Amino acid sequence: MERESKQIVDKMEKGFLKDMPNESVRRILENAMKVFVRRGLAGTRISDIAKEAGFSQGFVYNHFASKDEIFTEISRLAAEGSLRVIEEVSGFDSTPYEKIYWLTEVLTAPDTLVQHHFKLVLLQTISYETMPDETKKIFKESAIKQIADICKILEEGQRIGEIKQEDPVKLAFGYFAMVQGIAVIRMQSSKQMFLPDIENLLGFIKK
Amino acid sequence: MERESKQIVDKMEKGFLKDMPNESVRRILENAMKVFVRRGLAGTRISDIAKEAGFSQGFVYNHFASKDEIFTEISRLAAEGSLRVIEEVSGFDSTPYEKIYWLTEVLTAPDTLVQHHFKLVLLQTISYETMPDETKKIFKESAIKQIADICKILEEGQRIGEIKQEDPVKLAFGYFAMVQGIAVIRMQSSKQMFLPDIENLLGFIKK
DNA sequence: GTCTATATACCGATAGAC
DNA sequence: GTCTATCGGTATATAGAC
């Protein structure tokens, strides 16, 4: 179980790194992601990103046309990575509840691309009006697909009596509320984390 | 039960309105709170706040010295209101689980000061570096007190066998993760809300 | 009390040097 | 390939009019 979730996380991080035109672009995106999450979109200066990546301010514009373009690119990568995880787990040869269990392990693991996705979703949520239209679209579509994928697993679980008999959409929303909430708590108390075991957290889903 | 949670919410909103030096200040703060949550701290212009409150841009400076001062004042009010709710519920003449149940009802009710508190906490979390030092202090102290208050209720519940026998700190963190998560989901899908009943959500706490 | 007009500073984006 | 210098726009905060 432990090894399995590590494998998924690995596969994701690889997905993030591949398809990068060059090393500079990778370094900019990787560091921009960190800074955006610490300062918000409007609060992040190009010079902040440049500094974090170890470049000069002007250099960033050799690879990206604007701050929004960087942010959009990051959002796309994070959303794709996050979706890939759910698909990965869906394909597992195990029971629906086990799939959800693994998924939770991966989604709540610290310092992963998925965590960044959650953070970007939060950013999007909490300063919606200032977001580029493109990222609004990206996150919306990604959210719909995620809910749908989880629903599929939950419904299968209900059929074999593993999951509580309640509206699967409600359960899926509740599930994401919990996982998002954990991401928030994790950001707030980066060092000490006192959270119930996954088995406990999933109490409201299990039959 | 229904009436009770409405009463608490009412009491809170009153707390927010009272002690305001004058109507203009109240209108500015009330509208600034809305705008900050939609645009973030850095993304909000003084002119945005003024517009939302129906004043001119310059007028805001007759009552506040800076954007940070407005934000700090709002944070203080929200944190105080949120703490007052928990204290209110703690004083109820009912069992610990019932207290938690009511609290959840209040904390997840839409369009309340508590919801704004959650949103401001999210803002604080997701753009920490750009926050005034004063608000960092406010939210940190408020969070510690909240966790402590919840712990007290949970421990009492464990003594009488109503609450699961697990580290109460862990349960409290899990509880706040869930409630925060619900606030996020609520913001994302303002119209349709598909969430499991409170009774279900509290499954991971109840014995 | 409330608004309009302005200075001052900062940041995003460009252009040009090495 | 990377940096420095600079322009132009925008937002904060102030000052002064009604």
Short mmCIF file of all heavy atoms in Angstrom, two decimals, chain B residues 65-99:
data_model
loop_
_atom_site.label_atom_id
_atom_site.label_comp_id
_atom_site.label_asym_id
_atom_site.label_seq_id
_atom_site.Cartn_x
_atom_site.Cartn_y
_atom_site.Cartn_z
N ALA B 65 -6.04 54.71 7.34
CA ALA B 65 -4.74 55.22 6.90
C ALA B 65 -4.19 54.44 5.71
O ALA B 65 -3.41 54.97 4.92
CB ALA B 65 -3.74 55.17 8.05
N SER B 66 -4.61 53.20 5.57
CA SER B 66 -4.05 52.37 4.49
C SER B 66 -4.92 51.15 4.24
O SER B 66 -5.81 50.83 5.03
CB SER B 66 -2.64 51.91 4.85
OG SER B 66 -2.71 51.02 5.95
N LYS B 67 -4.64 50.48 3.15
CA LYS B 67 -5.34 49.24 2.81
C LYS B 67 -5.09 48.20 3.89
O LYS B 67 -6.02 47.51 4.33
CB LYS B 67 -4.85 48.74 1.45
CG LYS B 67 -5.67 47.64 0.86
CD LYS B 67 -5.40 47.49 -0.63
CE LYS B 67 -4.08 46.81 -0.86
NZ LYS B 67 -3.95 46.35 -2.29
N ASP B 68 -3.86 48.09 4.31
CA ASP B 68 -3.53 47.12 5.37
C ASP B 68 -4.34 47.36 6.64
O ASP B 68 -4.75 46.41 7.31
CB ASP B 68 -2.03 47.19 5.71
CG ASP B 68 -1.20 46.33 4.77
OD1 ASP B 68 -1.77 45.82 3.79
OD2 ASP B 68 0.01 46.18 5.00
N GLU B 69 -4.56 48.62 6.96
CA GLU B 69 -5.31 48.91 8.18
C GLU B 69 -6.75 48.39 8.06
O GLU B 69 -7.29 47.81 9.01
CB GLU B 69 -5.31 50.41 8.46
CG GLU B 69 -5.84 50.75 9.85
CD GLU B 69 -5.85 52.26 10.10
OE1 GLU B 69 -4.77 52.87 10.08
OE2 GLU B 69 -6.94 52.82 10.32
N ILE B 70 -7.34 48.59 6.90
CA ILE B 70 -8.70 48.07 6.67
C ILE B 70 -8.71 46.56 6.81
O ILE B 70 -9.54 45.98 7.51
CB ILE B 70 -9.21 48.45 5.26
CG1 ILE B 70 -9.24 49.97 5.10
CG2 ILE B 70 -10.59 47.86 5.00
CD1 ILE B 70 -9.62 50.41 3.70
N PHE B 71 -7.75 45.95 6.16
CA PHE B 71 -7.68 44.48 6.18
C PHE B 71 -7.49 43.95 7.59
O PHE B 71 -8.12 42.96 8.00
CB PHE B 71 -6.55 44.00 5.27
CG PHE B 71 -6.54 42.53 5.07
CD1 PHE B 71 -7.47 41.91 4.25
CD2 PHE B 71 -5.60 41.73 5.72
CE1 PHE B 71 -7.46 40.54 4.07
CE2 PHE B 71 -5.59 40.36 5.55
CZ PHE B 71 -6.52 39.76 4.72
N THR B 72 -6.64 44.62 8.34
CA THR B 72 -6.38 44.18 9.71
C THR B 72 -7.63 44.30 10.57
O THR B 72 -7.97 43.40 11.34
CB THR B 72 -5.26 45.03 10.33
OG1 THR B 72 -4.11 44.97 9.48
CG2 THR B 72 -4.88 44.52 11.71
N GLU B 73 -8.33 45.40 10.41
CA GLU B 73 -9.55 45.62 11.19
C GLU B 73 -10.58 44.54 10.89
O GLU B 73 -11.21 43.98 11.80
CB GLU B 73 -10.11 47.02 10.87
CG GLU B 73 -11.25 47.46 11.76
CD GLU B 73 -10.88 47.43 13.23
OE1 GLU B 73 -9.69 47.54 13.55
OE2 GLU B 73 -11.80 47.26 14.06
N ILE B 74 -10.74 44.23 9.61
CA ILE B 74 -11.67 43.18 9.20
C ILE B 74 -11.27 41.83 9.81
O ILE B 74 -12.11 41.09 10.31
CB ILE B 74 -11.69 43.06 7.67
CG1 ILE B 74 -12.42 44.26 7.07
CG2 ILE B 74 -12.37 41.78 7.24
CD1 ILE B 74 -12.32 44.31 5.58
N SER B 75 -9.99 41.54 9.74
CA SER B 75 -9.51 40.27 10.27
C SER B 75 -9.80 40.14 11.76
O SER B 75 -10.23 39.09 12.24
CB SER B 75 -8.00 40.14 10.04
OG SER B 75 -7.71 40.25 8.67
N ARG B 76 -9.60 41.24 12.47
CA ARG B 76 -9.84 41.23 13.90
C ARG B 76 -11.32 40.95 14.19
O ARG B 76 -11.66 40.10 15.01
CB ARG B 76 -9.45 42.58 14.49
CG ARG B 76 -9.24 42.57 16.01
CD ARG B 76 -9.05 43.98 16.55
NE ARG B 76 -8.12 44.77 15.76
CZ ARG B 76 -6.79 44.71 15.85
NH1 ARG B 76 -6.25 43.85 16.71
NH2 ARG B 76 -6.01 45.45 15.10
N LEU B 77 -12.18 41.64 13.49
CA LEU B 77 -13.62 41.45 13.70
C LEU B 77 -14.06 40.02 13.39
O LEU B 77 -14.83 39.41 14.14
CB LEU B 77 -14.40 42.42 12.81
CG LEU B 77 -14.32 43.90 13.21
CD1 LEU B 77 -14.82 44.79 12.08
CD2 LEU B 77 -15.14 44.14 14.47
N ALA B 78 -13.56 39.49 12.28
CA ALA B 78 -13.95 38.14 11.89
C ALA B 78 -13.46 37.11 12.89
O ALA B 78 -14.19 36.18 13.26
CB ALA B 78 -13.42 37.84 10.49
N ALA B 79 -12.22 37.27 13.33
CA ALA B 79 -11.65 36.32 14.28
C ALA B 79 -12.42 36.36 15.60
O ALA B 79 -12.76 35.31 16.17
CB ALA B 79 -10.18 36.62 14.52
N GLU B 80 -12.73 37.56 16.05
CA GLU B 80 -13.50 37.70 17.29
C GLU B 80 -14.87 37.05 17.17
O GLU B 80 -15.30 36.29 18.04
CB GLU B 80 -13.69 39.18 17.63
CG GLU B 80 -12.53 39.78 18.39
CD GLU B 80 -12.64 41.30 18.50
OE1 GLU B 80 -13.74 41.84 18.23
OE2 GLU B 80 -11.63 41.95 18.85
N GLY B 81 -15.54 37.32 16.06
CA GLY B 81 -16.88 36.76 15.85
C GLY B 81 -16.84 35.25 15.85
O GLY B 81 -17.69 34.57 16.42
N SER B 82 -15.82 34.69 15.20
CA SER B 82 -15.70 33.25 15.08
C SER B 82 -15.46 32.61 16.45
O SER B 82 -16.04 31.56 16.77
CB SER B 82 -14.54 32.94 14.14
OG SER B 82 -14.67 31.66 13.61
N LEU B 83 -14.63 33.24 17.25
CA LEU B 83 -14.37 32.71 18.58
C LEU B 83 -15.61 32.78 19.46
O LEU B 83 -15.91 31.87 20.23
CB LEU B 83 -13.23 33.49 19.25
CG LEU B 83 -11.82 33.04 18.90
CD1 LEU B 83 -10.79 33.97 19.48
CD2 LEU B 83 -11.61 31.62 19.39
N ARG B 84 -16.33 33.88 19.31
CA ARG B 84 -17.53 34.06 20.11
C ARG B 84 -18.52 32.92 19.88
O ARG B 84 -19.18 32.45 20.80
CB ARG B 84 -18.18 35.41 19.77
CG ARG B 84 -19.14 35.88 20.86
CD ARG B 84 -19.65 37.28 20.54
NE ARG B 84 -18.56 38.21 20.34
CZ ARG B 84 -18.54 39.19 19.43
NH1 ARG B 84 -19.57 39.34 18.62
NH2 ARG B 84 -17.51 39.98 19.32
N VAL B 85 -18.61 32.47 18.62
CA VAL B 85 -19.53 31.37 18.30
C VAL B 85 -19.19 30.11 19.08
O VAL B 85 -20.05 29.47 19.68
CB VAL B 85 -19.47 31.04 16.80
CG1 VAL B 85 -20.31 29.82 16.50
CG2 VAL B 85 -19.95 32.21 15.99
N ILE B 86 -17.91 29.75 19.06
CA ILE B 86 -17.51 28.53 19.75
C ILE B 86 -17.78 28.64 21.25
O ILE B 86 -18.26 27.70 21.88
CB ILE B 86 -16.02 28.23 19.50
CG1 ILE B 86 -15.76 28.17 17.99
CG2 ILE B 86 -15.62 26.89 20.14
CD1 ILE B 86 -14.38 27.71 17.62
N GLU B 87 -17.48 29.81 21.81
CA GLU B 87 -17.74 30.01 23.23
C GLU B 87 -19.24 29.89 23.51
O GLU B 87 -19.65 29.28 24.50
CB GLU B 87 -17.23 31.38 23.67
CG GLU B 87 -15.72 31.37 23.93
CD GLU B 87 -15.14 32.76 24.00
OE1 GLU B 87 -15.92 33.73 24.11
OE2 GLU B 87 -13.90 32.89 23.92
N GLU B 88 -20.01 30.47 22.65
CA GLU B 88 -21.47 30.42 22.76
C GLU B 88 -21.93 28.97 22.83
O GLU B 88 -22.64 28.56 23.74
CB GLU B 88 -22.07 31.09 21.53
CG GLU B 88 -23.52 31.55 21.67
CD GLU B 88 -23.61 32.73 22.61
OE1 GLU B 88 -22.73 33.62 22.54
OE2 GLU B 88 -24.53 32.73 23.43
N VAL B 89 -21.48 28.19 21.86
CA VAL B 89 -21.88 26.79 21.78
C VAL B 89 -21.38 26.00 22.99
O VAL B 89 -22.08 25.14 23.52
CB VAL B 89 -21.36 26.15 20.47
CG1 VAL B 89 -21.56 24.65 20.48
CG2 VAL B 89 -22.08 26.76 19.27
N SER B 90 -20.16 26.31 23.41
CA SER B 90 -19.59 25.60 24.57
C SER B 90 -20.47 25.76 25.80
O SER B 90 -20.58 24.85 26.63
CB SER B 90 -18.19 26.14 24.89
OG SER B 90 -17.32 25.90 23.81
N GLY B 91 -21.11 26.92 25.91
CA GLY B 91 -21.94 27.19 27.07
C GLY B 91 -23.32 26.56 27.02
O GLY B 91 -24.09 26.67 27.98
N PHE B 92 -23.64 25.92 25.92
CA PHE B 92 -24.96 25.30 25.78
C PHE B 92 -25.21 24.24 26.84
O PHE B 92 -24.29 23.58 27.30
CB PHE B 92 -25.08 24.64 24.40
CG PHE B 92 -25.53 25.56 23.33
CD1 PHE B 92 -25.52 26.94 23.51
CD2 PHE B 92 -25.97 25.06 22.10
CE1 PHE B 92 -25.92 27.80 22.50
CE2 PHE B 92 -26.37 25.91 21.10
CZ PHE B 92 -26.35 27.28 21.29
N ASP B 93 -26.47 24.08 27.16
CA ASP B 93 -26.86 23.02 28.10
C ASP B 93 -27.25 21.78 27.30
O ASP B 93 -28.43 21.47 27.15
CB ASP B 93 -28.03 23.50 28.97
CG ASP B 93 -28.43 22.45 29.99
OD1 ASP B 93 -27.55 21.65 30.36
OD2 ASP B 93 -29.61 22.44 30.38
N SER B 94 -26.23 21.09 26.76
CA SER B 94 -26.50 19.90 25.97
C SER B 94 -25.27 19.00 25.98
O SER B 94 -24.23 19.37 26.52
CB SER B 94 -26.86 20.28 24.53
OG SER B 94 -25.82 21.08 23.99
N THR B 95 -25.38 17.83 25.38
CA THR B 95 -24.24 16.91 25.38
C THR B 95 -23.16 17.40 24.44
O THR B 95 -23.45 18.17 23.52
CB THR B 95 -24.67 15.49 24.94
OG1 THR B 95 -24.85 15.49 23.52
CG2 THR B 95 -25.96 15.05 25.62
N PRO B 96 -21.91 16.96 24.64
CA PRO B 96 -20.79 17.39 23.79
C PRO B 96 -21.05 17.15 22.30
O PRO B 96 -20.78 18.03 21.49
CB PRO B 96 -19.62 16.54 24.29
CG PRO B 96 -19.94 16.25 25.71
CD PRO B 96 -21.43 16.14 25.77
N TYR B 97 -21.58 15.98 21.96
CA TYR B 97 -21.82 15.71 20.54
C TYR B 97 -22.83 16.69 19.96
O TYR B 97 -22.67 17.18 18.85
CB TYR B 97 -22.30 14.27 20.31
CG TYR B 97 -22.59 14.00 18.84
CD1 TYR B 97 -21.55 13.76 17.95
CD2 TYR B 97 -23.89 14.03 18.35
CE1 TYR B 97 -21.80 13.56 16.61
CE2 TYR B 97 -24.15 13.83 17.00
CZ TYR B 97 -23.10 13.59 16.14
OH TYR B 97 -23.35 13.41 14.80
N GLU B 98 -23.86 16.96 20.75
CA GLU B 98 -24.86 17.93 20.29
C GLU B 98 -24.24 19.31 20.08
O GLU B 98 -24.55 20.02 19.12
CB GLU B 98 -26.01 18.02 21.28
CG GLU B 98 -27.01 16.87 21.18
CD GLU B 98 -27.99 16.84 22.34
OE1 GLU B 98 -27.79 17.59 23.32
OE2 GLU B 98 -28.95 16.05 22.26
N LYS B 99 -23.32 19.67 20.98
CA LYS B 99 -22.62 20.95 20.82
C LYS B 99 -21.87 21.01 19.49
O LYS B 99 -21.94 21.98 18.75
CB LYS B 99 -21.62 21.15 21.98
CG LYS B 99 -22.27 21.50 23.31
CD LYS B 99 -21.21 21.64 24.41
CE LYS B 99 -21.87 21.85 25.76
NZ LYS B 99 -20.89 21.88 26.87
#
